[in-house]
Structure formats: C-alpha cells, structure tokens
Amino acid sequence: LDFKKKVIKLSIDIILQQLLNGISLGLGYALIAMGLTLIFGIIDVVNFAHGEYYMIGAYGLYIGLTILKLGYLPSILFSLLFVAIITFIMYETVLKRVMNRDPINAMLATFALSTLFINIVNMLDSTPKSVPTPFQGVINFGNIIITKSNLVIIVVSLIITVLLKLLLDHTKIGKQIRATGQQKEASVLMGIKVNRIYLYTFLIGCVLAAIAGMVLGTTTNAYPAMGQFVIMKAFAVVIFGGMGNVFGAFLAAIILGISESFGQVFLPGSWAASIAFVVMVLVLLVKPQGILGKGVK
Amino acid sequence: MSKAPLKKWLILIIVVFLAILPVIFPDPYFKSVLVQFIIFLLFAMSFNILIGDLGIMSFGHAAFFGLGGYTAGILVNSGTPWWLALLIAGLICILGGIGLGLLSLRLKAIYFAITTLALAEILRVAALNLKSLTNGSRGLIVMDPFSSFSLDSSLMIYYIGFVLILVLFLIFINIKGSWLGRSFYAIRDSEDMAVSLGVNSYMTKNIGLIISTFFAGLSGGMYGFYYGVVMPDTLGIVYTTTGLVIVLIGGRGNILGPVLGTFIFVIVSELLRAAGSVRMIAFSVLLLVVIVLLPKGIISLFTKNTVKRKEVRKSNFSEVN
C-alpha cells in the first residue's frame, strides 16, 4: 500500500531530481572506481587499500585547510602530494616485493595496508571532521535543486575522466601503461621499464582516489572508515563495468548511482545500499565480463 | 619411519594435556583465554582450508562466522538443544557456501574474493535491518544453552570446540593423501595444470568450501553461546581480518599454522587488550612483515623446505626485468 502511494506521488519533478542526484552520486563512484579498475587492468592487483587513499585524500585536505591553514589550492596540492608520497613508500617497501611472487600475496598486502591506515587514523583522532568547502548552498532549476557540492562532484569527475582518457590514449606514458597491461613480457622487450610503469599506474590510481576523497569528503565529513564504506560500491562498479575496463567503470558508476538514487525513494530502511551488490551478483551470474563485454585494457 | 611412533605418542600427550588443561588451572581468566583460543582456532582452521589448502582468497569468511552465530543464537533462544542448534547453523552455512560457490567459483579467483566481501556486507546490512529476527544494531542476545548442565558453560564450550578441532585434524590427516587432498594441493599450486590433468576443479573447490563454511558456522555458533551476544559486526571485516591475520601469521597451508597463529593472536590481543587501534596496527604490521618476508608464515621457519622456498623466490625475482 505504502509502495502504491509512493508511485502515485512520483511526479516528473521527482524523477528529474532523483536522476540528477543519481548522476552526481554515480560520478562520485566513478572517480573512485576508475583508479581501482585501472590498477587491476594494468597490474592485475586488486587494491584493497584504495578506499584508504580516498580517506587520506579527504584528511589531507582537512589538515591543509584547518591545521596548516593554507588556502584551498595549496591544500589540494598538499593533499595530492601527501597521497603520492604514501603511495610511493607503499609501492617501494611492500608491493614491489610481493607483486611478482603470487597475486594472492599482493592482495593480502593491500588488505593489511588498508587495516593499517584505518587504525593509524583511528588511533590519532577518530572523531569525524567536517571538511570546509567554499561551495555551500544550492542552485535551483525550477523545482529541481542541486547542491553546489554535488555540482562540483559532477564537474570534477567529468574533467578527470577526460584527462584520464587523454593521458591513456595520447601520451607516451599512457601508451606504455596500456602496453604493459596488455603484454608485460613484450613491453619489457620493447624497452619499457615495467616496474616504473607499475609505480606510475599506482600513483595515478591512488591520486584519483584522493581526488574523490577531497570532492566527496566535503559532503560526508572525513572519518577513519569512510573508505570502507565506498570501496564496496567501487568493487561493485568495477565488476559491473568489467574488471580492468576504465570506461566501463565510468558507465557502470553512473547507472548504479541512478539506480541507488531511485532505490532510496522506493526501498525501506538502508536497503538501497545493497542495490550495488545485487547488481554485482547478477552481473557475475549473467555476464562476468561486465557491461562493455571484453575488458579493453 | 622410526620416528613415527614417537610422534604419535607426543601428539597423544599434547591432546591429553590440552584436554585436562582447564581442569588443572581453573582460574576464570585463564579459562576465558582458553575458550577464546579454541573458538578462534576453529574459525582459523576453517579459513585455512580455503586460503591455505585450496589457495582461493576470501575476504568475507566472517560472513559464515556471523551467520552461524545468528542461526545458532536464534535457535537456542527458541528452545532448541545446543547440539541441534549448532548442527543447523553449520548446515545453513553450507547452504550459503553452496550459493556462493555456484555464483563465483567458476570465475577467476579475484571475482570470488570480491564476491565474498560483498556477501559479508549484504549479510551485515540484512542483520542491521531484519530487526524482528536479529534485534538490529543492538545485537542478538543469546541465552546460555548450558545453564541446566552440571558442567560450567565455558568448560562445555571448550570441550565442544576441542572435539571439533580434533575432528577437523582427523579429516585433514585422512584426506591429505587421498584424491581429494591431492586435488586440493594441485589446484592450489597451479589450477590450469590441475585442470589439464583431469582434476574437476569446480567440484573440488566446492567441497572445500562446504567443509570450510560448515566449521566456520560452528565456530560462530560457539562464539554466540560463549559471549551471549551476536552483533552485526560479527559478520564484518574485523572478524575476517582476525581470521586472515591468524592464518597468515601462523602459516597458510600448514595444518599447524593456524594453531601457532591463534596462539600469537590470543597472546598479543590479551597484551594489548586496552588499546583497540594499537592492537590492529600491531597485527597489520605483523601481517605485512610476514607477507613480505615469510609468505608461508612463521611456521615455515620450523619446517624443512626453507632452501627450496628461497630458490623459488629467487627465480621469480629474476623473471621480471
């Protein structure tokens, strides 16, 4: 009965509003998932610590703005640099050593890093921090409302996607990255320094996660387990889009965002959060290669 | 060969010693540590079947731990005797395991790993939302099923776990040389090779998963009986991490690995009991060190094929660049 009432209430405005919310939600997921799927596609490692780079990105911005009292731009650069340094250290000390031995070990290492990062932040200060943002308030389009921070998510995500596409398709490093993903041995023979390309891939992926953390962190606060919360969604998106397929992930993220945003209208309680997993299960059953078919590395 | 009878005697002495241990030292604190040891050892041994013996990675094994805990708890609360409740909890977990296997064991290992993670998360959300059944975020209060027994309930749980662990040991000693055990190890070492030699990898992995989920469910049920409460977090990442830490630090694929791992885990967590985050930091650093330096766990320091392992590592290193 409740359900029927809701269907009747659903007007065009609500549909458009949810569509817009869904797109901004989905583009947020896309930012996180593209880095994750890139790392998987090129290096064959599932980065379970990806959500923690997202968290560190948000904390980096918070530290830059409220503790170091830098401006917005320097704080963003500070956060990116911070994440890049951590990624570099993580790669050189741990991942480089385990990657070539057994893929399971690499997965476990990222899993251990994830626990490590969460608990270090938890130990230092576990209270949620609100990340300041210059983009406050809403914009009205007739009856449809969009918060400025959601608009920022949409704009940043689109810009980053285009930049990533340009980087992978038209630069020398991008070509080397794709070549390594396709055929590691052949790339070594062609003179590509595979280890360095792996490092670059990790850096790109983790910096993408950090950007997502900065953009989304302003809407959700920064807290230690924030990465755990989104990483599950990111995995669902990555599988939905085809593992290793960056633009499949982009598409999948938008579809998932829209379905979740409509799910919040129709489903009781916090069940909408499990739409992602139901979709993931269906994809695994019906088309494990993902929506775009074979992974285009 | 001449060593074999001596080894048998030694094992028998250790078993008898462990059996009478809580009777010799009836100190309640010591007993609580022992029960904790037994419950986590059973959980870790069930986990070891997956990651150690079959070489398939799961990041949601706690799903079965929690599922067993909730099932056994709900049944005991409605008046079912403890043994039936545990058995049904194990069987429900087997059903869950079969579903998981049908869904993702045909695919590459990475899909299985992520699916297990998602399964645990779905069950956690379900436990939070199905309030009439699970009491939501406040946790399910489990009645003590041993209150009418003359024996102390923590002792009962200790002996139940003890017997189950012995059963699991016996299962493994017996299947080690059989077709099933050999299929396990063949799949772990190289799935492609195993399949090309006629091993039915899908079925073998499912059998492993069934054994593993059954015992994980039992350990979860015992956890609920002992602590008297099952929270939605029991299904979540913390307990999976606990299992992973135990198995990997001890040594995956070795039957004594989880025993050593649980021993280290219980000692470290008792020492750092007050500091939750520091404890997890200690475990993750230990885990990283073990993964980088001793991929077969601390137990591999005591086994004989150390030289062989070094050679393998060297050859793998030279393969790249």
Side-chain angles (χ1 to χ4, degrees), chain B residues 1 7 11 21 62 78 126 144 148 150 152 174 189 212 220 240-241:
Chain B
M1 266 308 180
K7 222 175 166 181
I11 290 171
L21 197 56
S78 62
D144 184 3
S148 60
S150 55
D152 175 31
N174 280 307
D189 294 337
S212 173
T240 300
T241 313

Side-chain angles (χ1 to χ4, degrees), chain A residues 222-238:
Chain A
Y223 55 98
M226 66 189 285
Q228 297 274 296
F229 186 72
V230 293
I231 193 71
M232 302 279 190
K233 300 284 174 60
F235 279 134
V237 167
V238 165

Side-chain angles (χ1 to χ4, degrees), chain A residues 238-261:
Chain A
V238 165
I239 286 184
F240 190 16
M243 291 195 77
N245 188 335
V246 174
F247 301 101
F250 179 74
L251 208 61
I254 295 176
I255 297 175
L256 203 66
I258 293 174
S259 13
E260 268 191 17
S261 132

